[in-house]
Amino acid sequence: MSIITDITIPARAPYSVVLKAGQVMRIIDLESQQAVDALFYNAADTTERYSAQDTLAAQAAAGREYYLSTGSVLYSNESRPMLTLIADTCGFHDTCAGACSCEANTVRFGHETRFMHSCRENFLAELGRHGMGKRDLVSNVNFFMNVPIRPNGELTVDDGVSEPGGYVDLRAEMDVLVLISNCPQVNNPCNGFNPTPIQIVISE
Ligand SMILES: [Zn+2]
């Protein structure tokens, strides 16, 4: 494998890249406890995009739980494999809790948080660079985000469990447009209340 991209994404910043089928993207949580929100689109036809429902249904059929980890396949809304998690040092990647937004912050944490930066803003800014907008915001993956589901069904964002330098490797199964929001949230523990940089390494 040879490295074709090696880039550090600053705290709170967005990023996007097209992976060719067969390329592997490593997302590295440099300082630990950093949630990395991600959206995925078929690079050749962006109406085909990541589907949390298809992904979790396939996992359940394979006897896996709802967290994503090594062996998980990320499926599109056309039930085709988009990416496969081929390595993972963390074990806790969520696809149930969605991305933070100023609207959700207002409901969860109070009106004074409305003007804080959020993943939704990062995604909208990055979608605009690819000719897409609000209607293209769909379900996402939250890498390194620990979201246990309580026995009563309650879904909570708990302290992150990733170690410094922890990583996940994603192999593209088709040409995939990847959008990333290095989550700026500081109102819950998904980033240890301290957003930090991440590193992206793409190899083929
Ligand atoms: Zn966020």
Side-chain angles (χ1 to χ4, degrees):
M1 301 280 273
S2 59
I3 291 172
I4 55 173
T5 297
D6 186 344
I7 185 170
T8 298
I9 314 300
R12 306 176 186 80
Y15 173 70
S16 61
V17 68
V18 172
L19 298 178
K20 297 288 184 190
Q23 291 180 343
V24 174
M25 179 176 71
R26 174 168 291 187
I27 307 173
I28 306 170
D29 183 3
L30 291 170
E31 298 184 25
S32 81
Q33 294 194 340
Q34 176 58 49
V36 180
D37 293 39
L39 292 168
F40 305 101
Y41 303 83
N42 178 343
D45 174 7
T46 57
T47 63
E48 181 175 17
R49 60 272 306 264
Y50 174 69
S51 165
Q53 292 88 344
D54 288 75
T55 298
L56 289 176
Q59 284 222 154
R64 301 177 67 96
E65 61 159 12
Y66 64 94
Y67 281 116
L68 305 175
S69 187
T70 306
S72 292
V73 178
L74 307 186
Y75 282 91
S76 75
N77 57 339
E78 297 178 23
S79 295
R80 297 202 302 153
M82 301 187 79
L83 303 116
T84 304
L85 274 73
I86 57 172
D88 176 24
T89 65
C90 175
F92 292 90
H93 308 286
D94 163 76
T95 193
C96 298
C100 65
S101 67
C102 61
E103 294 85 355
N105 282 346
T106 301
V107 171
R108 290 174 182 160
F109 310 116
H111 191 70
E112 67 276 13
T113 64
R114 178 169 181 80
F115 303 100
M116 300 177 80
H117 191 46
S118 72
C119 285
R120 182 179 165 88
E121 274 73 54
N122 270 343
F123 281 147
L124 286 174
E126 209 62 26
L127 281 166
R129 299 182 58 221
H130 300 279
M132 293 187 279
K134 283 182 181 177
R135 69 178 61 194
D136 302 296
L137 269 175
V138 289
S139 51
N140 66 292
V141 175
N142 297 305
F143 293 105
F144 309 111
M145 191 160 116
N146 182 19
V147 186
I149 297 175
R150 306 288 183 214
N152 67 358
E154 183 188 6
L155 184 148
T156 56
V157 178
D158 268 14
D159 291 350
V161 294
S162 57
E163 300 284 336
Y167 63 84
V168 59
D169 283 345
L170 295 153
R171 184 184 64 219
E173 308 297 355
M174 61 171 69
D175 292 355
V176 181
L177 168 63
V178 180
L179 266 68
I180 281 174
S181 168
N182 193 8
C183 181
Q185 181 63 266
V186 291
N187 297 293
N188 70 30
C190 69
N191 301 319
F193 300 102
N194 177 34
T196 50
I198 58 169
Q199 184 179 0
I200 302 289
V201 179
I202 300 171
S203 51
E204 65 179 4

